[in-house]
Structures are given as C-alpha cells and as structure tokens.
C-alpha cells in the first residue's frame, strides 16, 4: 500500500519540533520554486523539509519573543477556499492542480502561522 502525501506529512513528529529557519529558493523562477524549512525534531535530529512545485507562501511571523520557535501543529490540507481559488485560476490557463496541497504550521512560541502551497515535499 502506498502512503499518500497527506499521510506522509502527518506521520512526521511535528509537535514541539523547532523551526530553525525558513528559506525561499527562486533562483530559477517558475521552474524551481521551493520553500525549505530547517527543523530540529524532538529527538534532536536536524533535517530540511523541502516543499517543491510551490505556488504560494502565506506567513504571519511574529518576533521579539526570546524563546525557540516550536511548532504546535502542522497539517496537510487538500481542500481550503484558497486552494479552490488557486486551482480555478490555474485551470483557466490549462494547468490542473488537483494535487496541490496547503501545508500549514502554527507555532507555540509566537503564535506565528505559515502556509506553503505546494504539490510535494521531501525530508532530507
């Protein structure tokens, strides 16, 4: 049985993982649009979570709190109003984005919110 992208994302140990950095790669726009998070998992391992084939990034990051940026929740959503709108707009251009997902993060420390709209992700 093949694990879906939603299941693979949900299986990661997000709660209390630390968000160490967030990088946007637009060196080859339209060909390689990526968002990369550097995450320290609760067991101390550090890994990059790379979101590929990105179509949008929404973030409301709050700063000024002297505490690590720990993740409270992380979800992979397949159906949101913004996803429906994005699919509709791209469909008008002949591009189907049924596999587009919203990867949503909320943090404990600053109540920040990050939403990455991408078709796939990998952990390395």
């Amino acid at each position: 049985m093949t694990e879906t992208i939603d299941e693979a994302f949900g299986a990661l140990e997000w709660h209390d993982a630390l968000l160490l950095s967030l990088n946007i790669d637009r060196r080859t726009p339209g060909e390689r649009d990526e968002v990369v998070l550097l995450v320290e998992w609760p067991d101390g391992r550090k890994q990059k979570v790379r979101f590929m084939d990105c179509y949008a990034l929404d973030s409301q990051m709050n700063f000024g709190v002297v505490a690590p940026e720990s993740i409270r929740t992380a979800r992979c959503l397949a159906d949101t109003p913004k996803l429906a709108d994005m699919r509709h707009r791209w469909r008008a251009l002949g591009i189907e984005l049924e596999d587009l997902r919203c990867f949503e993060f909320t943090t404990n420390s600053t109540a920040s919110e990050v939403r990455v709209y991408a078709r796939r992700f990998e952990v390395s």
Side-chain angles (χ1 to χ4, degrees):
M1 184 170 179
T2 304
E3 186 175 49
T4 68
I5 191 170
D6 305 17
E7 293 166 338
F9 186 80
L12 295 170
E13 196 173 350
W14 289 108
H15 184 71
D16 288 338
L18 299 180
L19 175 59
L20 302 178
S21 69
L22 182 150
N23 293 299
I24 300 166
D25 184 346
R26 292 270 301 152
R27 287 178 283 183
T28 52
E31 294 176 26
R32 180 180 173 172
D33 298 317
E34 296 181 351
V35 173
V36 181
L37 306 181
L38 178 58
V39 175
E40 182 176 329
W41 302 109
D43 66 6
R45 288 176 302 122
K46 292 180 183 175
Q47 291 184 304
K48 290 181 180 177
V49 180
R50 182 180 314 277
F51 298 94
M52 297 154 301
D53 297 327
C54 293
Y55 281 78
L57 170 68
D58 293 332
S59 68
Q60 173 61 50
M61 297 291 297
N62 303 305
F63 301 114
V65 174
V66 182
E69 192 71 81
S70 67
I71 296 171
R72 178 175 41 212
T73 61
R75 305 184 302 166
C76 178
L77 305 168
D79 187 28
T80 70
K82 181 161 183 174
L83 279 169
D85 180 57
M86 291 174 73
R87 289 177 181 135
H88 176 75
R89 285 187 288 127
W90 282 96
R91 188 174 298 120
L93 299 172
I95 299 171
E96 291 296 327
L97 294 176
E98 292 309 311
D99 58 348
L100 188 66
R101 295 291 186 265
C102 173
F103 298 92
E104 179 181 78
F105 302 88
T106 305
T107 67
N108 285 309
S109 314
T110 62
S112 294
E113 295 180 349
V114 176
R115 289 178 191 85
V116 181
Y117 295 86
R119 297 176 96 170
R120 54 196 179 97
F121 82 97
E122 68 180 20
V123 178
S124 60

